[in-house]
Amino acid sequence: MLTLFKNARVYSPQYLGSKDVLTGGKSILAIADHIEPPAGVDVQTVDCTGLWLVPGLIDSHVHITGGGGEGGPISRMPELQLGMMLEAGVTTVIGCLGTDGITRTVESVLMKVKTLRAQGVSAWMYTGAYQVPPPSITGDIMKDIALFEEVIGVGEVAISDHRSSVPSVAELTRIAAHARVAGMIGGKAGIVNMHMGDARDPFKPIHDVVANSEMGYRQFLPTHCNRNDYIFKDALEYGKKGYVDITTSGWPYYQDEEIKPSTALKLLLEGGVPLAHITFTSDACGSLPGFDPETGKLIKLEMGLPSSNLREVKDAVLVDGVPLEQALQVVTSNPADILKLPGKGYIREGYDADILLLDAGFNIVHLMAMGKMMIR
Ligand code: ZN
């Protein structure tokens, strides 16, 4: 079955103009000013007049088997459901464990990746969790990354946080070195996804690793860089050398502490951080607890959703004035490039047919994943 998208305003994420896009099987076959449906072949034609055609979104930090748990058993969050991805325009997720690397396992994350793939979307994962040494499938993060096609790196390893294992510089250096070499062997990015906590001078452990080893800043992808004003201030400097990931699902729950993600993108760009260094992730299926400031009692509990990424891209464009083709990069080509995701992140011939069609209000009109229409 071929699908022909007619007269779409194509953002690859670069703006290509008004184009027709032809897909067949799981791939983008052709992009041109005018494509005629081939005779004698079954073609579904989709009129895209007035719509933006953009790459299916990539959400590269999602607790796909359910996160949370730090507020006790009641705060364990459920697994990601396919519909939560699709209604967010997301066609690729990277799964990970978080605080709870004890009762949640890397094996179950691997099986959930396989489930999502069987449901028609794309998924990869990090081995490990907050803890050091990181939990793994084989007992060795190097073997996990080198041998399992689904495993692209290690994470989220917690630093600068009371919930971390308080890893030493030597321990972090070894994790980064092993991720790097295993990535080379397995043809992966071998990235270490770092959970950044609330401690002061939060990037110091990464600076120490880079200063005392052969590791470079691009071995690390620190997340939650907008969690408070002082980490964000440091991220404005750090981002000139390394990658900076902004978490979107905490907004508006923690608006007293966090920098709004859309505004964070604008400020990072104004501060001279290269656009290619910036990503947005939802941290979906993580818990968002609220505590009574007087008694410390849990008084509310929400769950992060993948839809926060598209919401913040929308606000970046409509409220903060970031051009659409720049805002799109933080959820498409940037994670694909940083994490070396094959066939992902671009509207290009030969790439996977992951295609999102939006109206000018950022409403999802159609969504295709791996060549199949998931939303019409
Ligand atoms: Zn985290």
Side-chain angles (χ1 to χ4, degrees), residues 104 119 159 260:
R104 311 268 197 188
Q119 290 175 322
I159 58 170
K260 186 177 185 334

Side-chain angles (χ1 to χ4, degrees), residues 61 63 130 156 195 223-224 283:
H61 186 108
H63 298 290
Y130 271 27
E156 57 176 316
H195 162 97
T223 186
H224 316 318
D283 201 14

Side-chain angles (χ1 to χ4, degrees), residues 108-316:
S108 63
V109 178
L110 175 62
M111 192 52 78
K112 182 70 179 183
V113 165
K114 292 176 189 287
T115 301
L116 291 166
R117 288 182 176 190
Q119 290 175 322
V121 292
S122 300
W124 283 272
M125 63 178 282
Y126 293 110
T127 188
Y130 271 27
Q131 288 82 28
V132 172
S136 61
I137 301 165
T138 61
D140 180 346
I141 58 169
M142 290 189 81
K143 286 185 185 171
D144 284 13
I145 296 168
L147 297 176
F148 292 102
E149 180 273 322
E150 295 91 343
V151 181
I152 60 162
V154 186
E156 57 176 316
V157 176
I159 58 170
S160 308
D161 194 299
H162 62 96
R163 294 164 293 176
S164 75
S165 298
V166 199
S168 67
V169 172
E171 285 173 313
L172 284 179
T173 306
R174 178 151 304 163
I175 290 168
H178 283 180
R180 179 180 159 75
V181 174
M184 292 161 68
I185 293 168
K188 320 284 182 61
I191 287 268
V192 186
N193 188 227
M194 308 294 285
H195 162 97
M196 307 299 288
D198 269 331
R200 292 279 164 177
D201 205 358
F203 290 98
K204 185 172 187 300
I206 303 178
H207 289 308
D208 287 348
V209 170
V210 172
N212 294 293
S213 74
E214 305 299 309
M215 295 303 117
Y217 283 103
R218 290 179 183 200
Q219 207 62 46
F220 299 95
L221 177 53
T223 186
H224 316 318
C225 292
N226 58 319
R227 71 181 306 147
N228 59 45
D229 55 357
Y230 54 87
I231 187 173
F232 188 70
K233 188 163 166 279
D234 290 356
L236 282 162
E237 279 313 303
Y238 179 90
K240 290 169 186 162
K241 293 172 280 199
Y243 303 128
V244 169
D245 181 52
I246 300 297
T247 300
T248 57
S249 67
W251 194 270
Y253 303 106
Y254 303 121
Q255 53 185 293
D256 292 343
E257 298 104 58
E258 292 192 357
I259 314 297
K260 186 177 185 334
S262 63
T263 309
L265 174 58
K266 180 184 78 167
L267 294 173
L268 287 167
L269 294 173
E270 285 176 357
V273 174
L275 176 57
H277 286 192
I278 308 168
T279 56
F280 276 7
T281 59
S282 70
D283 201 14
C285 302
S287 70
L288 301 166
F291 298 95
D292 185 313
E294 305 273 298
T295 63
K297 265 191 167 173
L298 184 73
I299 49 172
K300 63 175 183 176
L301 190 60
E302 303 276 353
M303 184 174 81
L305 291 170
S307 53
S308 54
N309 276 353
L310 183 56
R311 181 197 69 211
E312 291 301 323
V313 166
K314 173 185 175 181
D315 284 357

